[in-house]
Amino acid sequence: MKPGFSPCRVRVERGVYRQPNGKYAVCFRHAGRLRFRTIGFDLEVARRQREALIAAAERGQVPPLSPQLRFRALVESWEERFQARIDAGERRQRTLEAHRYHLDHQLLPVLARRRISSISVDDVAAVLADMRSSRCSLKTCANALGTLQVIMRYARRNGWITIDPVDQLHRDERPRPQRRRQRVLGRREIERLLEACAPRDRLMVATALYTGLRISELLGLVWEDIDLTSGLIRVRAQLSRAHRGEPARRVAPKTAASVREIPLFAQLVRLLADHKLRTPYAQRGDWVFATARGTPHGHRNVARRGPGRAASLAGLNRGEWPPLRFHDLRHTYASHLIVDLGLDVAQVSRILGHASVTITLDVYTHLFDDARHSQEIRARMAASPFAGLLARPTGLIGGVDDPPSSTEVSSAHALSPMLSGVGTT
């Protein structure tokens, strides 16, 4: 049966149907889809209305199906449908949480009581201007606009509006945030960061640094996810954000590729094993990083209290770099995999849980290029006649049989990270 047709609707003539209540409904095509409108009890009026609707559809001027529908009611309908898709496994809970954030903070306070048919492109531009005047970042503005467009497309698909005001924005009216510079911590910066962390947060930050886990994956860990014998973390879930009275809980990971196994450094295994012995919450289903009450930590609290506060105390937020984010710990881990360990893009993509290697290349191409370039430069330098001079017994560095001095050894150690492509800032 075609969408929109009711088994109780009786065809009177082409495009005109009688409903069980005796009213006539007319059918016409608009934007490639069949649309139905209930007209009344007069057949002649129904015929004239159908012809008018067909003509209006050809001009792109079909009136909305629900001109009195308010934005808040539209959002509630959209959320109900989105939640049904989550329950069916088609969408992710985290995506809905991100949309809800922008609805609650930027969109509903301004548009909740507005009729959706009255929201114009100028209204959308005004919302963006208000956000910018409130010092919202371009990224926040762009994400809020994306949420609004999702809602408006849902309304247009259902025939509740005929024109999407977001689509009418000019290119220069749309916020276009620049990609944030990736920050990768050097070895001395990592030492300073961990030293500045509060004792309760230090292992959490270290685990993020040495596994590349996303913050939701880190906070969603329970002890059965960690195999201390094999030295593996098995990522099977992430922690949702508490919202509208709903407590945080374990939900499906971001993508199917996020389900993965991460090999652990032996040193981190020992630290986690010691933590498991000391914590009162060490059962298989207990949170690895739990509060004093055994509940999971909140995302925002951890991001601000953990690396955020520690970076400020360690003096890492001064200079040209933007303030350290939790996600920068993931970039630092990726840099180690690429530059220090020399893993290829497929291996890095699997460990990080990217949906495709294209994402890995898009984010870390410069690191792969730098690593390869550094290796090529070192090989050419070692084979050059210029470098060969150092192997001759000239006596400039003490002679070939003389052991190096402690100063020379320390200098070589200082240069080693630079030659391997790893900064020591």
Side-chain angles (χ1 to χ4, degrees):
M1 182 178 295
K2 295 181 180 179
F5 284 88
S6 168
C8 300
R9 199 179 278 145
V10 179
R11 186 176 186 273
V12 176
E13 56 187 61
R14 182 180 181 182
V16 181
Y17 299 82
R18 184 187 291 275
Q19 299 181 149
N21 61 2
K23 291 185 177 181
Y24 290 99
V26 299
C27 174
F28 64 101
R29 187 173 293 276
H30 176 56
R33 297 186 62 196
L34 289 177
R35 309 286 186 178
F36 279 81
R37 294 290 173 88
T38 299
I39 302 301
F41 295 98
D42 192 312
L43 178 58
E44 287 300 323
V45 172
R47 288 169 176 161
R48 291 196 299 270
Q49 285 292 327
R50 180 173 181 269
E51 293 176 358
L53 288 168
I54 291 173
E58 292 174 352
R59 299 191 303 270
Q61 298 176 347
V62 178
L65 185 62
S66 302
Q68 303 301 316
L69 185 64
R70 307 280 176 173
F71 185 77
R72 183 181 293 279
L74 170 64
V75 169
E76 292 172 354
S77 173
W78 171 83
E79 282 189 341
E80 183 178 349
R81 182 176 181 274
F82 201 102
Q83 186 62 56
R85 297 186 66 189
I86 292 173
D87 296 340
E90 298 174 2
R91 299 303 301 266
R92 301 294 179 187
Q93 183 69 35
R94 183 68 187 92
T95 305
L96 179 57
E97 290 171 358
H99 285 310
R100 279 175 170 170
Y101 175 85
H102 295 295
L103 285 167
D104 291 342
H105 291 83
Q106 285 97 32
L107 301 177
L108 284 172
V110 180
L111 301 174
R113 297 181 60 82
R114 291 286 301 275
R115 292 192 298 271
I116 60 172
S117 59
S118 72
I119 298 175
S120 67
V121 63
D122 290 334
D123 294 321
V124 176
V127 170
L128 293 174
D130 288 343
M131 290 179 62
R132 292 299 295 151
S133 65
S134 300
R135 297 187 179 181
C136 290
S137 68
L138 285 175
K139 181 174 175 58
T140 299
C141 293
N143 290 342
L145 183 63
T147 296
L148 180 60
Q149 183 146 41
V150 167
I151 303 294
M152 287 302 185
R153 283 179 177 173
Y154 172 71
R156 185 175 181 182
R157 177 179 177 179
N158 285 278
W160 298 330
I161 59 174
T162 57
I163 297 175
D164 182 351
V166 181
D167 279 340
Q168 294 183 301
L169 284 171
H170 293 305
R171 181 180 179 85
D172 60 354
E173 291 180 301
R174 292 177 175 270
R176 297 187 178 279
Q178 294 182 346
R179 174 172 286 179
R180 188 181 189 273
R181 290 177 63 191
Q182 288 181 13
R183 185 168 185 184
V184 174
L185 298 179
R187 294 170 185 169
R188 291 179 184 173
E189 288 179 316
I190 292 173
E191 292 176 355
R192 288 159 56 189
L193 178 69
L194 293 178
E195 288 174 358
C197 282
R200 62 178 179 180
D201 299 325
R202 188 170 294 130
L203 181 58
M204 236 190 313
V205 173
T207 303
L209 267 169
Y210 285 86
T211 61
L213 287 168
R214 302 175 178 98
I215 186 170
S216 57
E217 294 169 343
L218 179 76
L219 300 181
L221 286 176
V222 294
W223 282 112
E224 65 179 352
D225 295 330
I226 301 182
D227 188 338
L228 294 174
T229 302
S230 301
L232 291 173
I233 284 182
R234 296 183 173 92
V235 181
R236 297 293 180 267
Q238 64 178 339
L239 185 71
S240 69
R241 294 176 186 263
H243 181 79
R244 294 181 182 175
E246 299 174 8
R249 57 191 176 90
R250 274 170 55 105
V251 297
K254 183 178 181 180
T255 64
S258 298
V259 178
R260 64 197 189 278
E261 293 184 350
I262 300 176
L264 297 176
F265 291 87
Q267 296 89 334
L268 183 59
V269 171
R270 289 194 291 270
L271 292 173
L272 288 170
D274 182 60
H275 172 58
K276 188 175 183 180
L277 290 175
R278 290 184 290 104
T279 179
Y281 307 105
Q283 300 301 312
R284 287 175 56 84
D286 288 339
W287 305 103
V288 175
F289 302 108
T291 65
R293 296 178 298 171
T295 57
H297 290 278
H299 294 68
R300 187 177 296 273
N301 289 339
V302 167
R304 288 180 175 175
R305 188 191 68 216
R309 182 171 182 273
S312 296
L313 292 175
L316 301 181
N317 286 341
R318 295 194 294 265
E320 60 177 324
W321 288 103
L324 185 75
R325 304 175 307 165
F326 198 96
H327 205 71
D328 293 325
L329 308 183
R330 179 171 165 87
H331 290 321
T332 299
Y333 177 73
S335 173
H336 169 76
L337 297 181
I338 297 166
V339 177
D340 287 358
L341 300 185
L343 301 188
D344 62 41
V345 63
Q347 294 170 317
V348 175
S349 184
R350 283 195 298 271
I351 292 175
L352 292 179
H354 284 159
S356 70
V357 295
T358 303
I359 297 174
T360 312
L361 281 173
D362 184 48
V363 177
Y364 298 112
T365 293
H366 64 290
L367 288 181
F368 285 106
D369 289 343
D370 289 348
R372 285 193 293 267
H373 183 65
S374 179
Q375 291 168 2
E376 292 170 1
I377 290 295
R378 287 198 300 270
R380 290 167 61 186
M381 288 173 65
S384 70
F386 179 67
L389 295 174
L390 294 176
R392 297 179 182 179
T394 61
L396 292 176
I397 316 180
V400 292
D401 295 327
D402 296 336
S405 67
S406 59
T407 302
E408 292 162 0
V409 170
S410 61
S411 298
H413 286 172
L415 285 173
S416 178
M418 299 180 191
L419 294 177
S420 64
V422 179
T424 57
T425 55

